């Protein structure tokens, strides 16, 4: 009896195993094996092979895919390393070598030409009264140090930037490729290393001079009359007139921030900014720098040959009492109200000098 039960169980087990082995085969016959869909790169490769058979030497579709900007496969790790050709680069090149250089060059020619014509017609702005011989301190040693550090770094950046932007059209035809390559290399390295110094000086410049550059009601009168530079009319002003305040806020501050921020993006590409961001920063940097240089020409003109006594103020820190009264009457009146006495220009009898105020 027991042997018969054992044989029955074994026969049932054999039947189950037989069915288990037959069902997968039957299922494979009913549902054939389907491979996974090919990847997009495999499809492109297959399409290229088929196209070469039907349209030999037609590489246009291949280069359209290359110029699409879609990332490919590469062993190099980093941002945009899989992009062989970035199509936005052509737009950047067209914009930089087209409108930026054209209109920027016109701007840098028109502004100095207008300044020279104005100087030929008006001449240097002189004092109406003779100098008093008594000096008032206008700038401290620290203010002059910050100003000249910023000015020198600005001039280095301006000349090196002009050579890099316009050198291919001006220097290259005159001196050839060899000398131009050296000039371009020196300009690029000067620009890269002096740039951070200029950023640092701009920050110091802002905090050093911001106190005296807040707007006052009388500044609007100065703007309406153009400071009397054309009419010769006496227009009173504070320590800094409205023109100087426009330069401080529009040039030193606003344009200084724009060229500094965009310049740092270009100067330090190791923070994983892509080519698109650097191309945008390059255009912004170039346009802002062109406006900055054009505006600086007016500031340099009035601070040197355009106004009698202005250069002495920033070089030696002092101005004649008559100069202070005629050009910055409100500041002069404030010094008198605080009983600040001007010192004689001779060194035999030195007296207390007026200290500059930033109110």
């Amino acid at each position: 009896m027991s042997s018969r039960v054992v044989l029955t169980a074994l026969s049932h087990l054999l039947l189950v195993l037989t069915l288990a082995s037959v069902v997968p085969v039957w299922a494979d016959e009913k549902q054939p094996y389907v491979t996974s869909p090919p990847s997009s790169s495999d499809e492109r490769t297959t399409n290229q092979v088929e196209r070469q058979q039907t349209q030999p030497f037609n590489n246009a579709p291949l280069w359209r895919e290359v110029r699409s900007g879609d990332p490919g496969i590469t062993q190099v790790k980093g941002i945009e390393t899989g992009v062989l050709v970035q199509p936005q680069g052509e737009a950047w090149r067209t914009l930089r070598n087209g409108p930026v250089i054209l209109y920027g060059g016109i701007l840098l020619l028109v502004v100095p030409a207008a300044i020279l014509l104005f100087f030929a017609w008006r001449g240097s702005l002189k004092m109406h009264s003779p100098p008093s011989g008594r000096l008032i301190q206008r700038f401290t040693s620290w203010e002059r140090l910050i100003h000249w550090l910023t000015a020198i770094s600005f001039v280095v950046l301006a000349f090196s930037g002009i050579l890099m932007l316009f050198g291919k059209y001006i220097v290259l035809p005159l001196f050839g490729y060899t000398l131009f390559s050296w000039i371009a290399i020196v300009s690029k390295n000067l620009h890269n290393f002096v740039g951070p110094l200029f950023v640092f000086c701009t920050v110091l410049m802002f905090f050093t001079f911001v106190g005296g550059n807040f707007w006052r009601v009388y500044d609007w009168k100065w703007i309406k009359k153009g400071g009397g530079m054309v009419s010769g009319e006496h227009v009173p002003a504070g320590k800094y007139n409205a023109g100087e305040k426009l330069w401080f806020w529009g040039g030193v501050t606003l344009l200084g921030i724009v060229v500094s921020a965009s310049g740092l993006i270009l100067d330090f590409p190791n923070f994983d900014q892509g080519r698109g961001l650097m191309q945008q920063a390059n255009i912004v940097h170039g346009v802002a720098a062109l406006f900055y240089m054009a505006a600086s020409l007016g500031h340099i003109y009035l601070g040197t040959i355009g106004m009698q006594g202005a250069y002495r103020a920033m070089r030696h820190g002092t101005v004649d009492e008559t100069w202070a009264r005629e050009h910055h009457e409100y500041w002069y009146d404030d010094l008198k109200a605080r009983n600040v006495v001007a010192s004689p220009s001779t060194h035999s009898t030195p007296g207390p000098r007026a200290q500059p105020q930033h109110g």
Side-chain angles (χ1 to χ4, degrees):
M1 179 70 181
S2 60
S3 61
R4 186 175 297 178
V5 172
V6 172
L7 290 174
T8 304
L10 289 175
S11 63
H12 289 170
L13 178 61
L14 181 62
L15 178 62
V16 170
L17 293 175
T18 303
L19 291 174
S21 62
V22 170
V23 169
V25 176
W26 177 80
D28 287 344
E29 292 177 355
K30 293 294 184 180
Q31 299 178 358
Y33 178 75
V34 179
T35 59
S36 59
S39 63
S40 58
S41 60
D42 294 336
E43 291 180 353
R44 287 198 297 264
T45 303
T46 303
N47 294 334
Q48 291 170 11
V49 172
E50 294 176 353
R51 190 182 303 114
Q52 287 300 321
Q53 295 175 355
T54 58
Q55 301 177 2
F57 307 110
N58 181 14
N59 294 322
L62 169 64
W63 285 108
R64 276 197 296 268
E65 294 177 3
V66 172
R67 292 174 59 86
S68 66
D70 295 335
I73 300 174
T74 178
Q75 299 299 321
V76 181
K77 302 300 181 183
I79 187 169
E80 292 186 330
T81 53
V83 179
L84 181 61
V85 175
Q86 187 217 25
Q88 293 82 4
E90 183 63 25
W92 162 79
R93 180 177 177 274
T94 302
L95 182 60
R96 178 190 180 275
N97 295 344
V100 173
I101 287 183
L102 174 61
Y103 296 111
I106 293 174
L107 180 67
L108 294 184
L109 291 176
V110 170
V111 171
I115 291 174
L116 289 175
L117 289 175
F118 179 80
F119 179 73
W121 170 71
R122 186 70 170 80
S124 179
L125 301 177
K126 302 183 182 298
M127 295 184 293
H128 297 90
S129 302
S132 66
R134 295 184 297 273
L135 301 179
I136 296 177
Q137 185 178 18
R138 181 164 173 80
F139 298 112
T140 64
S141 299
W142 169 256
E143 291 171 334
R144 286 183 286 132
L145 174 65
I146 295 303
H147 174 273
W148 287 116
L149 282 176
T150 307
I152 292 172
S153 60
F154 176 85
V155 170
V156 172
L157 292 173
F159 276 105
S160 58
I162 288 174
L163 287 172
M164 288 189 292
L165 190 61
F166 301 101
K168 184 172 68 173
Y169 306 98
I170 301 174
V171 181
L172 180 59
L174 293 176
F175 301 103
Y177 287 94
T178 302
L179 182 57
F180 172 69
S181 66
W182 282 103
I183 293 175
I185 291 172
V186 172
S187 299
K188 180 181 73 70
N189 285 285
L190 279 175
H191 212 82
N192 290 342
F193 285 98
V194 177
L197 173 63
F198 174 76
V199 174
F200 179 69
C201 291
T202 298
V203 174
L204 294 180
M205 188 90 164
F206 175 82
F207 287 106
T208 299
F209 291 96
V210 66
N213 279 281
F214 291 109
W215 287 92
R216 303 300 177 89
V217 176
Y218 51 73
D219 289 325
W220 300 110
K221 181 180 179 182
W222 192 97
I223 292 177
K224 291 179 181 178
K225 295 182 177 294
M229 289 189 294
V230 176
S231 63
E233 178 183 358
H234 171 67
V235 184
K239 182 174 184 181
Y240 303 115
N241 59 45
E244 292 171 306
K245 292 178 180 180
L246 285 172
W247 165 248
F248 177 82
W249 290 108
V252 176
T253 304
L254 178 59
L255 292 176
I257 291 174
V258 174
V259 297
S260 297
S262 57
L264 290 175
I265 293 174
L266 298 170
D267 214 1
F268 297 96
N270 49 302
F271 291 106
D272 288 339
Q273 55 265 41
R275 281 175 285 182
L277 176 59
M278 295 189 70
Q279 288 161 359
Q280 295 171 7
N282 180 266
I283 296 298
V284 172
H285 186 77
V287 172
L290 288 168
F291 280 107
Y292 204 171
M293 288 186 286
S296 71
L297 294 175
H299 175 73
I300 295 171
Y301 166 72
L302 290 174
T304 53
I305 63 174
M307 178 178 292
Q308 181 186 18
Y311 176 70
R312 176 190 175 87
M314 190 51 72
R315 180 178 179 182
H316 301 288
T318 58
V319 296
D320 189 85
E321 186 178 18
T322 302
W323 187 95
R325 183 177 62 252
E326 293 190 2
H327 294 293
H328 300 272
E329 184 177 357
Y330 293 139
W331 173 59
Y332 175 74
D333 292 341
D334 179 69
L335 294 178
K336 287 174 50 180
R338 293 189 288 117
N339 295 320
V340 178
V341 182
S343 63
S345 59
T346 60
H347 299 283
S348 57
T349 57
R353 290 186 177 181
Q355 297 298 320
Q357 51 86 31
H358 298 288

